[in-house]
Each structure stands twice: as structure tokens, then as C-alpha cells.
């Protein structure tokens, strides 16, 4: 008798969670309504792209965040996905992730979220930060210093060489 009662409670909780996450489906809108901003960081230590996607329509911290995280993580080129839900509704709900621009576009990221639960989730904005590694140029003035000689000893000017990191070189070769 107790197991039947437990099964009924577990079934009811599962039904309630499913209903909570699928109630009030939002109408699907054109992706042109989504505000997309891109920022290029030229002083980054490693190349890459990060995105913060503001999502409207989440109603729980378990099923909703899990579905969005799973959908984004299933896309090629997406890694380190996290979804943040504010139950008190003081802040916007959002997802953060790292992605490869060559493998996935922001339109694919938006579509992956908005297709879930019959269009329940609506992407409000996408903020993309593109990190580019810049290499320092060798200072020409250092190469043109005068060579001082005294007797048989000569002083050579210091040679400065900018050596890029191996990871940055590999990242550029793979692009």
C-alpha cells in the first residue's frame, strides 16, 4: 500500500513539473526581434567567443534550465554552457556559453532555445564577446640604437622578439 502511495506522489510531482514547464507557451516570433550585440576584445590572452543569451519564459530552475542547457550543448562548437534562473524575478534569466564561430551561428543558438516546449522560451537579446589575440610589434627604435665600441669590445643593441603562445598559433592555424 505504501509503494502505491509513493508511486502516486512521484507521478503527481512529475506531472506537476511537466505542467509547470509547459504552461503559458510564448508565441514564436521572428528572430529579427532579438537584439544582437558584438564586442571585439583585441587584448585577449586567448582567442574565442562567449555569448550571454537573455531568455524569457522560464518558469522553473530544474526542467527549464536543464532543457535549455542540453539543447545548446548539443550544437557543434558549443562548450561550457550554463543557464541561470532567478526565481524571485529580480534579474533576467540567461544562458552563458563559449562557442566556435566557424561551427555555429547566433541564429542557430537562438533557434535551439526557441524551438523547445512548443515555443515557450523567447530569446530577448544575445551579447557576443569575440576575443582576438594581438601580437606586439617589435619596436623599431630599439633596433636602431647606436653601437658603442671601446677598443676590442663592442656592445650590441638588445634584440627584442615577440614570441606568440603556442596555443594562439595553433588556434590561428585551425581557423
Amino acid at each position: 500500500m505504501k509503494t502505491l502511495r509513493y508511486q502516486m506522489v512521484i507521478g503527481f510531482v512529475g506531472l506537476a513539473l511537466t505542467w509547470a514547464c509547459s504552461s503559458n507557451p510564448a508565441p514564436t516570433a521572428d528572430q529579427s526581434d532579438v537584439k544582437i550585440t558584438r564586442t571585439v576584445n583585441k587584448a585577449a590572452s586567448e582567442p574565442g567567443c562567449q555569448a550571454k543569451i537573455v531568455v524569457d519564459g522560464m518558469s522553473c530552475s530544474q526542467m527549464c534550465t536543464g532543457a535549455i542547457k542540453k539543447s545548446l550543448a548539443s550544437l557543434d562548437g558549443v562548450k561550457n554552457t550554463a543557464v541561470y534562473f532567478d526565481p524571485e524575478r529580480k534579474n533576467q534569466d540567461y544562458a552563458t556559453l563559449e562557442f566556435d564561430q566557424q561551427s555555429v551561428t547566433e541564429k542557430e543558438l537562438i533557434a535551439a532555445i526557441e524551438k523547445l516546449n512548443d515555443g515557450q522560451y523567447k530569446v530577448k537579446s544575445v551579447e557576443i564577446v569575440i576575443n582576438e589575440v594581438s601580437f606586439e610589434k617589435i619596436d623599431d627604435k630599439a633596433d636602431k640604437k647606436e653601437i658603442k665600441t671601446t677598443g676590442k669590445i663592442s656592445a650590441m643593441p638588445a634584440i627584442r622578439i615577440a614570441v606568440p603562445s603556442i596555443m594562439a598559433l595553433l588556434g590561428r592555424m585551425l581557423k
Side-chain angles (χ1 to χ4, degrees), residues 117-129:
N117 287 350
D118 297 324
Q120 175 181 350
Y121 310 115
K122 172 74 176 108
V123 174
K124 294 291 186 184
S125 66
V126 179
E127 298 173 24
I128 298 173
V129 177

Side-chain angles (χ1 to χ4, degrees), residues 144-165:
K144 296 179 181 177
K145 288 184 181 176
E146 293 180 21
I147 299 174
K148 298 180 182 178
T149 58
T150 50
K152 295 182 180 178
I153 301 174
S154 64
M156 296 291 291
I159 298 174
R160 296 188 309 162
I161 300 174
V163 180
S165 72

Side-chain angles (χ1 to χ4, degrees), residues 128-141:
I128 298 173
V129 177
I130 303 167
N131 292 323
E132 293 181 354
V133 178
S134 62
F135 299 99
E136 292 182 11
K137 294 181 179 178
I138 298 174
D139 188 8
D140 291 334
K141 294 179 183 177

Side-chain angles (χ1 to χ4, degrees), residues 1-11:
M1 187 69 175
K2 279 187 174 182
T3 54
L4 180 61
R5 199 175 318 169
Y6 287 130
Q7 288 174 348
M8 288 177 59
V9 168
I10 290 172

Side-chain angles (χ1 to χ4, degrees), residues 47-51 77-82 96-100 104 109:
C49 294
Q50 289 88 30
V78 174
K79 56 185 175 181
N80 298 332
T81 306
T96 60
L97 56 104
E98 293 180 30
F99 70 101
D100 178 17
V104 67
L109 296 172

Side-chain angles (χ1 to χ4, degrees), residues 79-96:
K79 56 185 175 181
N80 298 332
T81 306
V83 181
Y84 301 93
F85 172 75
D86 183 12
E88 297 175 4
R89 296 290 180 221
K90 292 181 180 177
N91 298 311
Q92 293 178 322
D93 303 323
Y94 62 93
T96 60

